[in-house]
Amino acid sequence: MTTVPGPIDPPPRLLMGPGPISAYPSVLRAMSAPLVGQYDPFMTAAMAETQELYRGVWATRNDATLLVDGTSRAGIEAALVSLVRPGDRVLVPVFGRFGHLLAEIAERALADVHTIEVEWGQVFPVSAIEAAIERVRPSLLALVQGDTSTTMNQPLDEIGAVCAKHGVLFYSDATASLGGNDFEADAWGLDAATAGLQKCLGGPSGSAPITLSERAVEVIRSRGRVEAGIREEGDPAASDFVRSNYFDLGMILDYWGPRRLNHHTEATSMLYAARECARLVLQEGRDQVIARHRLAGAAMLSGVRGLGLEVFGDVAHKMSNVVAVEIPDAVPGDAARAALLDDFGIEIGTSFGPLHGRVWRIGTMGYNAREDAVLTTLAGLEAVLRRFGAPVAAGGGVEAASDVYRGARE
């Protein structure tokens, strides 16, 4: 006889890694709200509300602002597969793992992918990106804003003008940065941007906010094809249609738009979560949320330095919501992370590729971008470091972080 397990009962965790993070309690409550049909007036109204809320989060007037059902990677893939025709040149500046991901997805979309790279821990000067655009002549620039693998935050504010000058579509993956760092979709000239809930927006993974400029929508519409079975006379039938059905943004736009053309069944509970994430940002104030992340990040940065830990990368271009610290030589990185989780219920992250086993990544995002979470993490980390023989100043991390918070209150 099969043994039936009990109800799901996760252990209490303080998620202070690079994501996912601990969700806002009201987001979890929203996800438990009753389901309704996908064309129920309440549902379509909630979809419209969510679109308007995310226009505020993205700082855009784009009508085409909506959700892609799936993790943040679903949003990335939807953007790239819908905007890039086979054979199109795509330029991807790579400064960490997730730049490589953009190149990978564009390559799978049969693009002619070109990359430029800088050393992990650095970002690109605008001049280097413009020189690459002039050399490659791409149809699209795909650029990560905040890459959690290195914790670097690529400045975007001048790149939109460069892309417009050269007739290049500008897409950014803001999965790890939106809500915790400045992002101005319209003012910076973005044609497309995608994100996820599980970082600074303070929700679970599983929904990908996206915003598209009119120019991006024109490209997507030029590749339109409505699937057989729901196709009507006069519907588009482009020969170079988007090669993914699920990630065809043209059909997704029709699903979210006035036509409400059936494409998939909206992930209702995730819609509720995404709506609540955006509502919380705008209720607190978008600038205030970004400032809260900046303060928490500054406190954590000061705290890890107060413990005597070295910080990886160009701190002048560090994301506000995550810091990478060099693991002390005598400390086994994975064993120390496991001890922090087992004994204190606190999760921090390792990294990828050349940084795996070299750094820990500690996040201060969303609901956890707050003083008690920062101080609790630093206290637990100090105890674990002492256990493994690292020389740390007693109370140094907590005191340094507390100083930052005290200074902000004065």
Side-chain angles (χ1 to χ4, degrees):
M1 178 181 290
T2 301
T3 301
V4 178
I8 194 79
D9 187 24
R13 298 289 192 234
L14 179 60
L15 301 182
M16 298 295 286
I21 48 74
S22 308
Y24 289 105
S26 67
V27 172
L28 298 178
R29 289 194 295 270
M31 294 183 73
S32 68
L35 303 183
V36 297
Q38 62 176 324
Y39 298 116
D40 188 294
F42 176 86
M43 183 66 171
T44 54
M47 293 170 75
E49 288 172 353
T50 301
Q51 291 182 276
E52 185 59 26
L53 288 167
Y54 275 97
R55 291 184 187 108
V57 173
W58 286 114
T60 185
R61 295 182 179 179
N62 290 339
D63 182 66
T65 301
L66 57 150
L67 305 175
V68 175
D69 287 341
T71 65
S72 51
R73 188 174 299 211
I76 296 169
E77 186 151 346
L80 292 179
V81 77
S82 298
L83 290 169
V84 177
R85 292 177 169 88
D88 279 357
R89 291 180 184 174
V90 173
L91 174 63
V92 184
V94 176
F95 59 100
R97 180 213 166 167
F98 294 103
H100 287 298
L101 174 63
L102 298 190
E104 160 90 7
I105 293 174
E107 185 176 11
R108 287 175 181 264
L110 302 181
D112 177 12
V113 179
H114 297 254
T115 61
I116 55 174
E117 298 190 37
V118 293
E119 182 182 357
W120 285 28
Q122 304 297 317
V123 296
F124 289 91
V126 176
S127 59
I129 293 176
E130 182 164 24
I133 287 174
E134 291 173 342
R135 183 180 72 255
V136 173
R137 291 176 286 112
S139 63
L140 182 135
L141 174 73
L143 182 58
V144 175
Q145 183 189 29
D147 195 315
T148 52
S149 68
T150 66
T151 75
M152 293 297 103
N153 189 26
Q154 171 68 48
L156 303 181
D157 55 317
E158 298 179 30
I159 294 173
V162 170
C163 288
K165 173 183 173 183
H166 295 281
V168 177
L169 286 171
F170 180 22
Y171 161 70
S172 181
D173 166 22
T175 296
S177 50
L178 184 67
N181 302 264
D182 290 331
F183 195 96
E184 302 289 334
D186 286 358
W188 295 351
L190 271 295
D191 289 297
T194 63
L197 304 185
Q198 74 276 15
K199 310 278 188 176
C200 301
L201 294 177
S205 178
S207 183
I210 183 170
T211 190
L212 302 162
S213 72
E214 290 183 2
R215 192 161 69 124
V217 172
E218 287 177 6
V219 173
I220 293 164
R221 291 300 190 193
S222 73
R223 304 183 67 199
R225 188 178 90 160
V226 177
E227 66 188 59
I230 58 173
R231 189 180 303 151
E232 298 178 1
E233 185 176 351
D235 278 341
S239 59
D240 62 343
F241 57 88
V242 175
R243 288 316 198 254
S244 171
N245 177 288
Y246 189 73
F247 294 132
D248 183 343
L249 285 176
M251 288 200 291
I252 295 173
L253 285 167
D254 283 340
Y255 180 59
W256 280 76
R259 190 176 176 187
R260 298 292 175 190
L261 185 66
N262 183 263
H263 176 254
H264 65 288
T265 301
E266 178 62 19
T268 310
S269 297
M270 287 308 306
L271 172 74
Y272 296 165
R275 178 186 180 279
E276 181 64 8
C277 287
R279 193 189 71 81
L280 290 174
V281 169
L282 300 186
Q283 177 180 261
E284 183 176 345
R286 182 173 172 272
D287 291 344
Q288 288 73 21
V289 172
I290 292 171
R292 174 164 58 84
H293 279 81
R294 190 178 297 121
L295 177 59
M300 184 63 79
L301 175 64
S302 184
V304 295
R305 284 174 163 169
L307 289 173
L309 299 176
E310 296 293 326
V311 177
F312 171 78
D314 178 5
V315 174
H317 288 109
K318 188 187 77 65
M319 299 163 67
S320 67
N321 52 298
V322 61
V323 62
V325 298
E326 302 272 1
I327 301 171
D329 289 339
V331 175
D334 288 343
R337 285 179 59 240
L340 190 61
L341 184 67
D342 292 342
D343 296 344
F344 295 91
I346 300 171
E347 179 181 282
I348 61 173
T350 181
S351 194
F352 309 101
L355 296 182
H356 180 71
R358 177 181 163 187
V359 302
W360 291 317
R361 294 176 300 153
I362 306 174
T364 47
M365 306 188 205
Y367 181 56
N368 292 342
R370 62 183 202 270
E371 185 172 4
D372 64 303
V374 171
L375 300 185
T376 298
T377 300
L378 288 166
L381 183 59
E382 177 185 336
V384 168
L385 287 169
R386 286 181 174 280
R387 183 182 311 172
F388 286 96
V392 293
V398 168
E399 190 59 32
S402 295
D403 284 346
V404 172
Y405 274 106
R406 279 194 291 268
R409 286 191 288 266
E410 291 174 355

